[in-house]
């Protein structure tokens, strides 16, 4: 167990809707990163939050947005859902923004129909 | 940007044999190389990592080697057991820029008993 928890575990949404996924980082970890893992592929970096500020973003459109709260928990929001957004969304927390390992949660399986 | 290639995509071994998974990376600035194990329905679990100032690292039955000149690194699992069956991912990152991991496509390891 990594101590990183994500909710919900599964979610079904309709194309065009909006979704919010949540992540509680491991105790003491101030950095949270979000990844998208399509079926049969490796995780792809979406963005990272450090002390409530975005600290880097991967190749994802602006309809993917996030937040980090003072307790370092985080949200991933996706607007105008598309069928291709169906994936496992993973949250990883790190003790600090650099030079430390990343520990993943169990993920949220999002299905867009 | 960084690109990580991983081979083979599937690997079947007999229980007790060794398994080797290889990865290459493209960005010479990358200096951190973790390996993750992902079981069905779970998030990736960090099993071992290596930093660019080290050529080899061992942890019981698992070892990782790094060749910076050739830009490749490998995971070695000895005395494989059925519970080693999972998907294994290699990744690369520049630690000073925040641990934003670039993953390989994964290797499905099956250990036959």
């Amino acid at each position: 167990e990594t101590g990183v928890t994500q909710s919900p575990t599964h979610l079904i949404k309709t194309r065009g809707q909006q979704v919010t996924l949540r992540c509680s980082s491991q105790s003491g970890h101030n950095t949270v990163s979000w990844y998208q893992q399509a079926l049969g592929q490796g995780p792809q970096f979406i963005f990272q939050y450090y002390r409530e500020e975005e600290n880097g973003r991967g190749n994802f459109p602006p309809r993917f947005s996030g937040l980090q709260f003072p307790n370092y928990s985080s949200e991933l929001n996706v607007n105008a859902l598309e069928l291709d957004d169906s994936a496992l969304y993973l949250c990883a927390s790190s003790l600090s923004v650099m030079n430390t390992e990343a520990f993943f949660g169990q993920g949220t399986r999002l299905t867009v129909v | 940007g960084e690109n990580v290639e991983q081979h083979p995509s599937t690997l079947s071994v007999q229980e007790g044999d060794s398994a080797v998974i290889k990865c290459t990376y493209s960005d010479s600035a990358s200096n951190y190389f973790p390996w993750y194990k992902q079981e069905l329905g779970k998030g990736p679990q960090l099993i071992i990592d290596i930093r660019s100032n080290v050529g080899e690292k061992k942890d019981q039955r698992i070892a990782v080697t790094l060749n910076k000149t050739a830009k490749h690194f490998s995971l070695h699992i000895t005395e494989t057991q059925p519970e080693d069956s999972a998907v294994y991912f290699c990744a690369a990152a520049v630690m000073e820029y925040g641990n934003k991991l670039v993953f390989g496509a994964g290797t499905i390891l099956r250990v036959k008993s």
Side-chain angles (χ1 to χ4, degrees):
Chain A
E1 291 296 328
T2 62
V4 180
T5 58
Q6 293 186 242
S7 62
T9 54
H10 297 85
L11 201 53
I12 299 175
K13 288 287 190 178
T14 302
R15 190 171 50 182
Q17 284 187 317
Q18 178 265 345
V19 70
T20 297
L21 310 181
R22 295 178 175 83
C23 171
S24 292
S25 59
Q26 191 170 331
S27 178
H29 286 197
N30 62 22
T31 302
V32 172
S33 303
W34 285 92
Y35 291 80
Q36 181 196 66
Q37 186 177 23
L39 204 59
Q41 297 182 23
Q44 280 196 291
F45 175 74
I46 303 174
F47 43 58
Q48 181 182 83
Y49 279 84
Y50 168 60
R51 292 188 175 177
E52 303 178 59
E53 297 286 332
E54 186 178 292
N55 181 50
R57 185 180 187 91
N59 189 25
F60 281 81
R63 57 190 187 84
F64 285 78
S65 63
L67 280 175
Q68 187 178 33
F69 300 99
N71 66 355
Y72 304 135
S73 66
S74 178
E75 284 183 356
L76 164 65
N77 299 289
V78 187
N79 293 323
L81 284 167
E82 301 176 1
L83 296 180
D84 284 350
D85 295 334
S86 295
L88 182 68
Y89 287 85
L90 295 161
C91 165
S93 77
S94 301
L95 187 60
S96 184
V97 71
M98 63 177 77
N99 295 324
T100 59
E101 300 87 348
F103 298 95
F104 284 83
Q106 82 283 5
T108 293
R109 171 71 61 188
L110 173 65
T111 302
V112 182
V113 297
Chain B
E2 175 66 276
N3 181 52
V4 177
E5 294 192 356
Q6 183 171 346
H7 300 279
S9 55
T10 60
L11 179 59
S12 284
V13 299
Q14 204 65 35
E15 183 178 358
D17 287 350
S18 294
V20 180
I21 302 170
K22 299 182 179 182
C23 289
T24 60
Y25 61 99
S26 61
D27 187 354
S28 56
S30 291
N31 56 9
Y32 176 64
F33 307 93
W35 286 87
Y36 287 86
K37 174 184 181 183
Q38 188 173 28
E39 297 174 323
L40 202 61
K42 296 186 178 181
Q45 174 194 0
L46 179 66
I47 56 171
I48 195 167
D49 56 13
I50 191 167
R51 306 191 184 205
S52 61
N53 59 346
V54 175
E56 184 176 0
K57 183 177 178 181
K58 285 184 181 180
D59 183 5
Q60 299 182 347
R61 298 186 296 110
I62 295 174
V64 57
T65 59
L66 171 65
N67 183 326
K68 286 189 296 182
T69 304
K71 295 201 193 81
H72 67 69
F73 56 113
S74 300
L75 177 71
H76 305 252
I77 305 174
T78 59
E79 301 172 17
T80 53
Q81 300 167 3
E83 51 265 38
D84 293 329
S85 296
V87 182
Y88 290 81
F89 291 97
C90 62
V94 180
M95 283 295 251
E96 291 82 359
Y97 298 160
N99 200 355
K100 304 172 180 95
L101 300 169
V102 177
F103 282 85
T107 296
I108 300 171
L109 174 64
R110 295 192 185 94
V111 180
K112 297 175 286 186
S113 56

